[in-house]
Amino acid sequence: MRRALPLVAPAILLLSLACQPRAAAPVYGPWEEGLTLAFEDPSQPQPQRSADRLQVRVARSSMAPGAPRLVQLDLTSLRGQMSLLVRHQDGGIALLGDDGRVVAQTLPAGFPAVTAWEARGAQFRVVGRATWEGAALLPATSDPVGVWVEARPLQGPHRRTLYLPNLGEVEAQEERDGAWITVNRLVARGFVDLPAAPRP
């Protein structure tokens, strides 16, 4: 019995660590109600760049524990306005149609642990993690480290997108003549309404 006692303590420690509550997995998209993001294409000259600015606002969010978690995004530009409904589930993000069916899978379930997938005739792969160069416009509580994803469509330029936790896409680049050119970048972040309570 005495010989078994030294083995019991490590076993109990391992069991207690396994039973600890795990932190919620990061959500790689905007979800806080009232969060408003503005994007510009830095490859465009002014005043075209400002004229084509896109604003994305989280109009509604049901990010309570459990799946699925739905978020309504309102997109506004000088050309007009539209709303999108997205579903966050198991790390994946799906765009839903008016009938509630999946129209497109933006990120796969298990992201970012899933490192390669195919969707809409394009091949996607996780390039790696990186600190976003534009993180100075984020509050100190935001995580500036995101995940670069490369898309290789059947037609058109290759594209790389950097996704940050709780924001989603903050920068996108296209391959042009062997160089990566930024074509979409987050340039402003704020709240139109009071921010929602922190996600559990």
XYZ file of all heavy atoms in Angstrom, residues 78-184:
815
model
N -21.246 53.949 -49.429
C -21.945 54.989 -50.187
C -22.839 54.382 -51.265
O -23.741 55.048 -51.768
C -20.933 55.941 -50.823
C -20.156 56.835 -49.843
C -19.174 57.722 -50.601
C -21.100 57.687 -49.009
N -22.584 53.126 -51.607
C -23.390 52.466 -52.642
C -24.671 51.867 -52.099
O -25.537 51.459 -52.866
C -22.568 51.364 -53.304
C -21.392 51.884 -54.089
C -20.764 50.771 -54.909
N -19.616 51.262 -55.637
C -18.370 51.125 -55.245
N -18.094 50.522 -54.114
N -17.380 51.598 -55.983
N -24.793 51.732 -50.767
C -26.005 51.152 -50.205
C -25.736 50.384 -48.928
O -24.668 50.510 -48.320
N -26.724 49.587 -48.542
C -26.645 48.850 -47.280
C -27.222 47.458 -47.479
O -28.139 47.249 -48.278
C -27.436 49.578 -46.198
C -27.422 48.885 -44.848
C -28.149 49.692 -43.788
O -28.407 50.873 -43.963
N -28.502 49.048 -42.690
N -26.655 46.482 -46.747
C -27.198 45.134 -46.751
C -26.902 44.486 -45.412
O -26.039 44.954 -44.660
C -26.602 44.299 -47.892
C -25.122 44.027 -47.756
S -24.420 43.026 -49.093
C -25.246 41.478 -48.847
N -27.657 43.439 -45.097
C -27.458 42.712 -43.848
C -27.071 41.273 -44.148
O -27.558 40.682 -45.121
C -28.735 42.738 -42.998
O -29.001 44.044 -42.548
N -26.205 40.728 -43.321
C -25.781 39.339 -43.426
C -26.039 38.650 -42.097
O -25.892 39.261 -41.034
C -24.293 39.236 -43.754
C -23.786 39.872 -45.047
C -22.270 39.739 -45.129
C -24.443 39.225 -46.257
N -26.413 37.380 -42.158
C -26.573 36.574 -40.951
C -25.509 35.490 -40.980
O -25.409 34.730 -41.950
C -27.971 35.955 -40.893
C -28.323 35.238 -39.586
C -28.324 36.211 -38.410
C -29.682 34.549 -39.715
N -24.682 35.450 -39.927
C -23.626 34.439 -39.856
C -23.818 33.582 -38.614
O -24.380 34.026 -37.605
C -22.217 35.075 -39.853
C -21.934 35.805 -41.147
C -22.030 36.004 -38.672
N -23.336 32.350 -38.728
C -23.430 31.412 -37.605
C -22.032 30.987 -37.195
O -21.240 30.557 -38.029
C -24.243 30.175 -38.005
C -24.393 29.170 -36.855
C -25.216 27.983 -37.283
N -24.479 27.193 -38.266
C -25.060 26.359 -39.126
N -26.367 26.243 -39.160
N -24.321 25.662 -39.975
N -21.728 31.142 -35.903
C -20.459 30.694 -35.334
C -20.704 29.351 -34.656
O -21.587 29.248 -33.799
C -19.948 31.696 -34.287
C -19.609 33.026 -34.865
N -18.343 33.358 -35.265
C -20.372 34.118 -35.130
C -18.334 34.602 -35.731
N -19.554 35.076 -35.664
N -19.923 28.356 -35.044
C -20.092 27.037 -34.445
C -18.786 26.264 -34.518
O -18.206 26.105 -35.593
C -21.195 26.265 -35.184
C -21.603 24.979 -34.496
C -22.853 24.379 -35.121
O -23.380 24.881 -36.106
N -23.338 23.312 -34.528
N -18.306 25.825 -33.356
C -17.095 25.000 -33.270
C -15.894 25.644 -33.977
O -15.114 24.966 -34.633
C -17.351 23.606 -33.859
C -18.476 22.870 -33.139
O -18.616 23.070 -31.917
O -19.216 22.120 -33.802
N -15.757 26.961 -33.869
C -14.644 27.660 -34.500
C -14.900 28.044 -35.940
O -14.151 28.826 -36.508
N -15.947 27.499 -36.540
C -16.265 27.815 -37.924
C -17.239 28.973 -38.035
O -17.960 29.299 -37.082
N -17.273 29.600 -39.206
C -18.194 30.699 -39.481
C -18.892 30.404 -40.795
O -18.238 30.171 -41.821
C -17.468 32.052 -39.567
C -16.729 32.349 -38.266
C -18.456 33.169 -39.886
C -15.917 33.640 -38.296
N -20.227 30.405 -40.761
C -21.017 30.125 -41.955
C -21.926 31.303 -42.254
O -22.525 31.888 -41.348
C -21.850 28.861 -41.763
N -22.023 31.659 -43.537
C -22.949 32.684 -43.991
C -24.271 31.999 -44.309
O -24.299 31.012 -45.046
C -22.388 33.377 -45.231
C -23.288 34.400 -45.921
C -23.584 35.570 -44.993
C -22.644 34.882 -47.216
N -25.365 32.530 -43.742
C -26.674 31.921 -43.918
C -27.520 32.717 -44.893
O -27.445 33.945 -44.942
C -27.406 31.816 -42.573
C -26.680 31.078 -41.445
C -27.550 31.049 -40.194
C -26.301 29.663 -41.862
N -28.345 32.016 -45.646
C -29.283 32.658 -46.547
C -30.565 33.029 -45.823
O -30.715 32.791 -44.618
N -31.523 33.608 -46.554
C -32.795 34.013 -45.961
C -33.562 32.837 -45.378
O -34.354 33.001 -44.451
C -33.667 34.721 -47.007
C -33.056 36.049 -47.441
O -32.270 36.625 -46.656
O -33.367 36.503 -48.559
N -33.335 31.635 -45.933
C -34.026 30.446 -45.447
C -33.296 29.772 -44.291
O -33.724 28.722 -43.807
C -34.230 29.447 -46.589
C -32.906 29.030 -47.234
O -31.845 29.514 -46.785
O -32.951 28.235 -48.183
N -32.188 30.350 -43.844
C -31.434 29.792 -42.728
C -30.439 28.718 -43.119
O -29.751 28.176 -42.261
N -30.341 28.426 -44.415
C -29.386 27.422 -44.867
C -28.023 28.058 -45.133
O -27.932 29.239 -45.440
C -29.893 26.752 -46.146
C -31.150 25.943 -45.935
C -31.561 25.220 -47.196
N -32.779 24.457 -46.999
C -33.358 23.732 -47.936
N -32.828 23.694 -49.160
N -34.461 23.057 -47.675
N -26.984 27.223 -45.044
C -25.621 27.710 -45.253
C -25.406 28.037 -46.729
O -25.601 27.189 -47.600
C -24.582 26.670 -44.786
C -23.166 27.126 -45.129
C -24.718 26.421 -43.292
N -25.020 29.279 -46.999
C -24.707 29.733 -48.355
C -23.215 29.571 -48.620
O -22.803 29.179 -49.710
C -25.132 31.203 -48.545
C -24.698 31.731 -49.905
C -26.624 31.358 -48.351
N -22.403 29.895 -47.624
C -20.943 29.787 -47.756
C -20.343 29.553 -46.379
O -20.832 30.081 -45.382
C -20.359 31.051 -48.377
N -19.290 28.751 -46.338
C -18.563 28.482 -45.101
C -17.292 29.318 -45.134
O -16.340 28.991 -45.841
C -18.239 26.992 -44.986
C -17.690 26.572 -43.645
C -18.753 26.459 -42.569
O -19.892 26.100 -42.835
N -18.385 26.783 -41.340
N -17.286 30.439 -44.398
C -16.135 31.342 -44.401
C -14.920 30.703 -43.757
O -13.810 30.780 -44.284
C -16.486 32.652 -43.663
O -17.685 33.173 -44.208
C -15.388 33.674 -43.806
N -15.125 30.098 -42.592
C -14.068 29.369 -41.902
C -14.629 28.008 -41.505
O -15.800 27.904 -41.126
C -13.593 30.120 -40.653
C -12.857 31.442 -40.876
C -12.578 32.128 -39.544
C -11.560 31.227 -41.646
N -13.814 26.957 -41.554
C -14.328 25.615 -41.250
C -14.451 25.370 -39.756
O -13.787 26.043 -38.949
C -13.262 24.711 -41.863
C -11.992 25.487 -41.679
C -12.386 26.935 -41.888
N -15.294 24.420 -39.379
C -15.353 23.991 -37.983
C -13.967 23.513 -37.578
O -13.254 22.885 -38.355
C -16.380 22.876 -37.822
N -13.575 23.843 -36.347
C -12.262 23.457 -35.852
C -11.164 24.457 -36.127
O -10.020 24.260 -35.720
N -11.487 25.572 -36.832
C -10.496 26.605 -37.098
C -10.026 27.215 -35.781
O -10.819 27.399 -34.873
C -11.117 27.695 -37.981
C -10.171 28.813 -38.328
C -9.281 28.686 -39.366
C -10.164 29.990 -37.590
C -8.399 29.713 -39.690
C -9.288 31.013 -37.898
C -8.404 30.870 -38.951
N -8.738 27.500 -35.591
C -7.620 27.417 -36.539
C -6.836 26.110 -36.479
O -5.804 26.004 -37.129
C -6.745 28.593 -36.123
C -6.925 28.666 -34.646
C -8.356 28.269 -34.388
N -7.332 25.120 -35.696
C -6.628 23.839 -35.639
C -6.676 23.134 -36.992
O -5.741 22.420 -37.360
C -7.227 22.952 -34.550
N -7.770 23.322 -37.734
C -7.856 22.790 -39.099
C -6.972 23.678 -39.975
O -7.191 24.886 -40.055
C -9.314 22.803 -39.603
C -9.372 22.391 -41.063
C -10.172 21.890 -38.756
N -5.981 23.096 -40.607
C -4.985 23.904 -41.314
C -5.158 23.929 -42.825
O -4.494 24.705 -43.500
C -3.563 23.415 -40.983
O -3.460 22.027 -41.355
C -3.267 23.565 -39.493
N -6.049 23.096 -43.377
C -6.274 23.106 -44.826
C -7.693 22.616 -45.114
O -8.182 21.708 -44.438
C -5.257 22.228 -45.541
N -8.352 23.248 -46.093
C -9.698 22.854 -46.472
C -9.999 23.390 -47.870
O -9.239 24.182 -48.420
C -10.721 23.340 -45.455
C -10.862 24.831 -45.368
C -11.773 25.618 -46.003
C -10.065 25.731 -44.570
N -11.592 26.942 -45.679
C -10.560 27.046 -44.800
C -8.990 25.558 -43.704
C -10.001 28.160 -44.187
C -8.434 26.664 -43.092
C -8.944 27.951 -43.332
N -11.113 22.923 -48.420
C -11.574 23.400 -49.722
C -12.986 23.929 -49.582
O -13.783 23.381 -48.829
C -11.543 22.272 -50.761
C -10.149 21.911 -51.219
C -10.173 20.970 -52.412
O -11.144 21.018 -53.192
O -9.214 20.195 -52.561
N -13.303 24.989 -50.324
C -14.652 25.561 -50.326
C -14.826 26.377 -51.593
O -13.910 27.099 -52.006
C -14.872 26.438 -49.089
N -15.987 26.240 -52.223
C -16.343 27.009 -53.414
C -15.269 26.930 -54.505
O -14.962 27.906 -55.178
C -16.625 28.470 -53.040
C -17.698 28.633 -51.967
C -17.957 30.090 -51.612
N -16.802 30.845 -51.204
C -16.251 30.811 -49.996
N -16.762 30.041 -49.063
N -15.199 31.567 -49.710
N -14.671 25.746 -54.657
C -13.680 25.554 -55.699
C -12.316 26.138 -55.393
O -11.433 26.123 -56.243
N -12.116 26.660 -54.194
C -10.828 27.243 -53.803
C -10.178 26.382 -52.728
O -10.864 25.719 -51.948
C -11.003 28.668 -53.297
N -8.860 26.402 -52.694
C -8.109 25.712 -51.651
C -7.639 26.738 -50.621
O -7.133 27.802 -50.989
C -6.908 24.983 -52.248
C -7.295 23.848 -53.173
C -6.079 23.121 -53.724
O -4.984 23.685 -53.797
N -6.268 21.867 -54.111
N -7.821 26.405 -49.352
C -7.436 27.291 -48.252
C -6.419 26.576 -47.380
O -6.482 25.364 -47.197
C -8.656 27.658 -47.398
C -9.699 28.460 -48.113
C -10.642 27.843 -48.923
C -9.748 29.841 -47.985
C -11.615 28.568 -49.588
C -10.706 30.584 -48.644
C -11.644 29.942 -49.452
N -5.484 27.371 -46.832
C -4.547 26.805 -45.868
C -4.150 27.880 -44.863
O -4.078 29.072 -45.198
C -3.308 26.236 -46.563
C -2.371 27.258 -47.142
C -1.161 26.635 -47.823
N -0.272 27.645 -48.364
C 0.800 28.109 -47.731
N 1.116 27.659 -46.541
N 1.560 29.039 -48.287
N -3.909 27.444 -43.638
C -3.420 28.349 -42.602
C -1.934 28.553 -42.842
O -1.158 27.594 -42.866
C -3.678 27.779 -41.196
C -2.974 28.619 -40.132
C -5.180 27.717 -40.913
N -1.540 29.811 -43.049
C -0.130 30.141 -43.286
C 0.621 30.192 -41.965
O 1.758 29.727 -41.864
C 0.002 31.485 -44.040
C 1.461 31.863 -44.235
C -0.710 31.399 -45.384
N -0.001 30.763 -40.940
C 0.632 30.849 -39.631
C 0.058 31.990 -38.813
O -0.834 32.711 -39.255
N 0.576 32.132 -37.608
C 0.127 33.179 -36.695
C 1.047 34.394 -36.829
O 2.221 34.256 -37.138
C 0.120 32.672 -35.249
C -0.782 31.462 -35.057
C -0.779 30.973 -33.622
N -1.450 31.907 -32.743
C -2.766 31.992 -32.587
N -3.547 31.186 -33.267
N -3.304 32.859 -31.760
N 0.480 35.580 -36.586
C 1.278 36.808 -36.680
C 0.611 37.915 -35.888
O -0.611 37.911 -35.693
C 1.432 37.231 -38.140
N 1.418 38.860 -35.435
C 0.897 40.057 -34.774
C 0.532 41.067 -35.856
O 1.333 41.345 -36.753
C 1.952 40.659 -33.830
O 2.286 39.689 -32.839
C 1.419 41.918 -33.152
N -0.674 41.612 -35.779
C -1.144 42.548 -36.794
C -0.416 43.875 -36.657
O -0.322 44.450 -35.566
C -2.647 42.745 -36.662
C -3.227 43.626 -37.718
C -2.929 43.612 -39.050
C -4.202 44.652 -37.545
N -3.658 44.559 -39.722
C -4.448 45.213 -38.817
C -4.892 45.144 -36.445
C -5.358 46.250 -39.005
C -5.791 46.158 -36.637
C -6.034 46.708 -37.906
N 0.096 44.382 -37.769
C 0.841 45.640 -37.767
C -0.033 46.840 -37.436
O 0.462 47.864 -36.969
C 1.511 45.854 -39.130
C 2.595 44.841 -39.439
C 3.180 45.027 -40.827
O 2.703 45.907 -41.573
O 4.123 44.282 -41.174
N -1.336 46.750 -37.676
C -2.246 47.861 -37.401
C -2.884 47.817 -36.037
O -3.865 48.523 -35.770
N -2.348 47.004 -35.136
C -2.974 46.784 -33.832
C -3.016 48.029 -32.952
O -3.711 48.035 -31.932
C -2.256 45.662 -33.092
N -2.328 49.113 -33.326
C -2.335 50.334 -32.515
C -3.743 50.927 -32.396
O -4.033 51.622 -31.428
C -1.382 51.365 -33.108
N -4.626 50.660 -33.348
C -5.969 51.230 -33.260
C -6.897 50.386 -32.385
O -8.037 50.775 -32.127
C -6.582 51.429 -34.651
C -6.965 50.224 -35.506
C -8.340 49.720 -35.167
C -6.932 50.631 -36.967
N -6.413 49.243 -31.872
C -7.226 48.375 -31.021
C -7.033 48.733 -29.551
O -5.980 49.236 -29.164
C -6.829 46.915 -31.232
C -6.912 46.385 -32.662
C -6.438 44.934 -32.702
C -8.318 46.516 -33.210
N -8.040 48.477 -28.717
C -7.854 48.705 -27.280
C -6.821 47.737 -26.713
O -6.549 46.684 -27.310
C -9.248 48.441 -26.697
C -9.952 47.617 -27.707
C -9.378 47.989 -29.037
N -6.265 48.092 -25.559
C -5.214 47.279 -24.958
C -5.687 45.879 -24.617
O -4.880 44.949 -24.516
C -4.680 47.968 -23.706
N -6.994 45.690 -24.447
C -7.539 44.383 -24.087
C -7.678 43.447 -25.284
O -7.927 42.262 -25.117
C -8.918 44.539 -23.424
O -9.764 45.302 -24.304
C -8.804 45.252 -22.087
N -7.520 43.974 -26.500
C -7.666 43.139 -27.697
C -6.401 42.335 -27.948
O -5.292 42.803 -27.715
C -7.949 44.002 -28.928
O -9.244 44.526 -28.876
N -6.588 41.118 -28.438
C -5.466 40.246 -28.792
C -4.973 40.637 -30.189
O -5.714 40.506 -31.162
C -5.928 38.787 -28.778
C -4.784 37.805 -28.974
O -3.649 38.250 -29.264
O -5.025 36.594 -28.842
N -3.735 41.127 -30.320
C -3.234 41.557 -31.629
C -2.691 40.419 -32.483
O -2.269 40.639 -33.611
C -2.109 42.533 -31.266
C -1.559 41.973 -29.995
C -2.750 41.383 -29.257
N -2.679 39.193 -31.938
C -2.132 38.047 -32.656
C -3.255 37.307 -33.362
O -4.242 36.902 -32.737
C -1.374 37.092 -31.713
C -0.842 35.886 -32.488
C -0.241 37.818 -31.018
N -3.112 37.174 -34.669
C -4.137 36.508 -35.454
C -3.580 35.385 -36.295
O -2.436 34.956 -36.121
N -4.413 34.911 -37.212
C -4.078 33.764 -38.061
C -4.205 34.183 -39.521
O -5.264 34.669 -39.945
C -5.009 32.568 -37.771
C -4.649 31.383 -38.659
C -4.955 32.175 -36.307
N -3.130 34.009 -40.290
C -3.156 34.265 -41.724
C -3.682 33.025 -42.448
O -3.227 31.915 -42.193
C -1.769 34.578 -42.263
C -1.324 35.995 -42.068
C -0.416 36.443 -41.142
C -1.722 37.141 -42.816
N -0.245 37.805 -41.275
C -1.027 38.259 -42.295
C -2.606 37.343 -43.876
C -1.185 39.552 -42.797
C -2.764 38.626 -44.381
C -2.060 39.712 -43.850
N -4.637 33.245 -43.345
C -5.191 32.172 -44.176
C -4.987 32.542 -45.637
O -5.291 33.665 -46.038
C -6.698 31.975 -43.888
C -7.309 30.988 -44.874
C -6.915 31.514 -42.451
N -4.463 31.604 -46.408
C -4.251 31.839 -47.836
C -5.302 31.100 -48.644
O -5.586 29.922 -48.384
C -2.860 31.376 -48.252
C -2.530 31.689 -49.706
C -1.101 31.353 -50.068
O -0.181 31.808 -49.351
O -0.909 30.636 -51.059
N -5.888 31.793 -49.618
C -6.891 31.204 -50.508
C -6.328 31.151 -51.919
O -5.768 32.136 -52.412
C -8.166 32.035 -50.492
N -6.471 29.984 -52.560
C -6.031 29.806 -53.940
C -7.235 29.383 -54.774
O -7.543 28.188 -54.864
C -4.914 28.755 -54.019
C -3.629 29.208 -53.352
C -2.536 28.140 -53.401
N -1.283 28.682 -52.895
C -0.323 29.186 -53.657
N -0.474 29.217 -54.957
N 0.783 29.649 -53.118
N -7.934 30.362 -55.358
C -9.105 30.028 -56.171
C -8.697 29.452 -57.526
O -7.538 29.561 -57.937
C -9.812 31.373 -56.338
C -8.713 32.373 -56.229
C -7.694 31.794 -55.275
N -9.668 28.833 -58.191
C -9.401 28.296 -59.526
C -9.072 29.418 -60.507
O -8.265 29.266 -61.407
C -10.613 27.503 -60.026
C -10.916 26.208 -59.251
C -12.193 25.579 -59.751
C -9.745 25.225 -59.367
N -9.731 30.559 -60.328
C -9.482 31.728 -61.167
C -9.283 32.941 -60.264
O -9.844 33.013 -59.183
C -10.641 31.970 -62.127
C -10.842 30.858 -63.139
C -11.993 31.135 -64.082
O -12.827 31.984 -63.799
N -12.036 30.432 -65.206
N -8.506 33.890 -60.736
C -8.289 35.108 -59.963
C -7.049 35.018 -59.103
O -6.408 33.974 -58.991
N -6.678 36.143 -58.493
C -5.436 36.194 -57.710
C -5.535 35.404 -56.415
O -6.622 35.215 -55.864
C -5.276 37.692 -57.423
C -6.670 38.228 -57.459
C -7.400 37.423 -58.491
N -4.364 34.950 -55.947
C -4.300 34.337 -54.625
C -4.511 35.435 -53.589
O -4.162 36.592 -53.816
C -2.957 33.656 -54.414
C -2.721 32.519 -55.354
N -1.502 31.925 -55.513
C -3.558 31.863 -56.201
C -1.574 30.954 -56.404
N -2.813 30.909 -56.850
N -5.084 35.056 -52.454
C -5.449 36.049 -51.438
C -5.053 35.546 -50.058
O -5.198 34.362 -49.771
C -6.955 36.321 -51.504
C -7.437 37.482 -50.669
C -8.940 37.686 -50.914
N -9.508 38.720 -50.087
C -9.767 39.950 -50.489
N -9.490 40.304 -51.732
N -10.290 40.842 -49.680
N -4.550 36.436 -49.233
C -4.239 36.121 -47.838
C -5.070 37.032 -46.939
O -5.170 38.236 -47.192
C -2.752 36.321 -47.547
C -1.882 35.229 -48.106
C -0.433 35.405 -47.702
N 0.362 34.287 -48.173
C 1.686 34.233 -48.108
N 2.367 35.243 -47.591
N 2.334 33.174 -48.553
N -5.639 36.437 -45.906
C -6.490 37.181 -44.974
C -6.014 36.933 -43.557
O -5.765 35.782 -43.181
C -7.962 36.732 -45.112
O -8.368 36.880 -46.473
C -8.872 37.558 -44.221
N -5.885 38.013 -42.779
C -5.512 37.898 -41.372
C -6.768 38.028 -40.521
O -7.486 39.030 -40.613
C -4.499 38.978 -40.978
C -4.041 38.952 -39.513
C -3.279 37.657 -39.196
C -3.161 40.161 -39.206
N -7.031 36.999 -39.713
C -8.186 36.977 -38.820
C -7.717 37.169 -37.383
O -6.820 36.461 -36.922
C -8.922 35.638 -38.915
C -9.575 35.386 -40.251
C -8.902 34.717 -41.272
C -10.881 35.805 -40.494
C -9.498 34.482 -42.490
C -11.487 35.573 -41.722
C -10.791 34.909 -42.705
O -11.396 34.675 -43.926
N -8.336 38.135 -36.682
C -8.042 38.358 -35.267
C -9.226 37.892 -34.430
O -10.383 38.005 -34.859
C -7.795 39.835 -34.975
C -6.473 40.463 -35.397
C -6.361 41.869 -34.829
C -5.282 39.633 -34.965
N -8.964 37.404 -33.205
C -10.065 37.023 -32.315
C -10.997 38.206 -32.071
O -10.552 39.334 -31.875
C -9.352 36.604 -31.023
C -7.972 36.228 -31.444
C -7.649 37.132 -32.599
N -12.303 37.937 -32.098
C -13.379 38.894 -31.814
C -13.535 39.993 -32.867
O -14.377 40.869 -32.712
C -13.203 39.520 -30.430
C -13.152 38.468 -29.350
O -13.931 37.522 -29.352
N -12.219 38.602 -28.429
N -12.726 39.962 -33.921
C -12.828 40.957 -34.985
C -13.006 40.311 -36.353
O -13.644 40.877 -37.226
C -11.588 41.861 -35.006
C -11.428 42.808 -33.828
C -10.081 43.517 -33.900
C -12.552 43.816 -33.785
N -12.414 39.145 -36.550
C -12.441 38.513 -37.859
C -11.397 39.129 -38.754
O -10.282 39.453 -38.321
N -11.748 39.335 -40.032
C -10.796 39.868 -40.998
C -10.399 41.294 -40.629
O -11.250 42.154 -40.455
C -11.408 39.862 -42.400
C -10.490 40.431 -43.462
C -11.097 40.399 -44.853
O -11.804 39.425 -45.173
O -10.864 41.354 -45.617
N -9.077 41.521 -40.509
C -8.577 42.878 -40.267
C -7.694 43.353 -41.409
O -7.451 44.545 -41.554
C -7.811 43.002 -38.927
C -8.751 42.799 -37.744
C -6.636 42.039 -38.875
N -7.212 42.410 -42.213
C -6.395 42.777 -43.365
C -6.467 41.663 -44.398
O -6.487 40.485 -44.046
C -4.938 43.018 -42.952
C -4.077 43.539 -44.074
C -2.750 44.107 -43.604
O -2.637 44.476 -42.421
O -1.835 44.183 -44.435
N -6.525 42.057 -45.668
C -6.496 41.096 -46.768
C -5.513 41.571 -47.813
O -5.408 42.770 -48.077
C -7.886 40.925 -47.381
N -4.779 40.627 -48.379
C -3.774 40.934 -49.394
C -4.027 40.079 -50.628
O -4.497 38.950 -50.520
C -2.364 40.643 -48.870
C -1.987 41.430 -47.634
C -0.627 41.034 -47.096
O -0.090 39.993 -47.441
N -0.068 41.881 -46.239
N -3.699 40.642 -51.801
C -3.759 39.902 -53.057
C -2.359 39.816 -53.631
O -1.569 40.743 -53.496
C -4.675 40.602 -54.066
C -6.144 40.386 -53.805
C -7.015 40.978 -54.911
O -6.469 41.587 -55.860
O -8.246 40.840 -54.804
N -2.083 38.693 -54.297
C -0.788 38.527 -54.951
C -0.856 39.152 -56.337
O -1.662 38.764 -57.174
C -0.428 37.047 -55.053
C 0.990 36.808 -55.518
C 1.357 35.337 -55.528
O 0.446 34.487 -55.595
O 2.565 35.054 -55.485
N -0.035 40.180 -56.542
C 0.011 40.886 -57.818
C 1.455 40.988 -58.276
O 2.288 41.581 -57.584
C -0.588 42.293 -57.691
C -2.059 42.308 -57.299
C -2.557 43.727 -57.133
N -3.968 43.756 -56.718
C -4.611 44.880 -56.369
N -3.969 46.046 -56.395
N -5.877 44.826 -55.999
N 1.749 40.389 -59.429
C 3.106 40.419 -60.004
C 4.154 39.949 -58.994
O 5.222 40.545 -58.859
C 3.452 41.826 -60.499
C 2.499 42.293 -61.599
O 2.100 41.447 -62.425
O 2.151 43.490 -61.604
N 3.823 38.885 -58.265
C 4.779 38.295 -57.330
C 4.878 38.998 -55.987
O 5.674 38.589 -55.149
N 4.084 40.055 -55.758
C 4.128 40.785 -54.478
C 2.750 40.730 -53.827
O 1.722 40.639 -54.507
C 4.552 42.223 -54.705
N 2.723 40.775 -52.498
C 1.455 40.783 -51.753
C 1.062 42.235 -51.481
O 1.789 42.968 -50.806
C 1.585 39.998 -50.453
C 1.701 38.530 -50.682
C 2.833 37.771 -50.691
C 0.621 37.629 -50.965
N 2.536 36.467 -50.959
C 1.186 36.342 -51.128
C -0.762 37.780 -51.088
C 0.406 35.215 -51.411
C -1.537 36.657 -51.368
C -0.958 35.395 -51.536
N -0.085 42.636 -52.021
C -0.579 44.007 -51.908
C -1.818 44.016 -51.027
O -2.756 43.243 -51.243
C -0.948 44.582 -53.298
C 0.239 44.443 -54.266
C -1.406 46.025 -53.186
C 1.473 45.186 -53.853
N -1.832 44.893 -50.014
C -2.997 44.991 -49.128
C -4.144 45.641 -49.879
O -4.007 46.737 -50.425
C -2.654 45.805 -47.867
O -1.598 45.135 -47.156
C -3.869 45.925 -46.954
N -5.309 44.958 -49.898
C -6.479 45.450 -50.622
C -7.672 45.686 -49.698
O -8.705 46.192 -50.131
C -6.881 44.475 -51.754
C -5.790 44.416 -52.817
C -7.186 43.083 -51.205
N -7.540 45.327 -48.436
C -8.601 45.593 -47.460
C -7.960 45.665 -46.083
O -7.154 44.805 -45.735
C -9.668 44.489 -47.488
C -10.902 44.876 -46.690
O -11.373 46.002 -46.763
N -11.426 43.942 -45.925
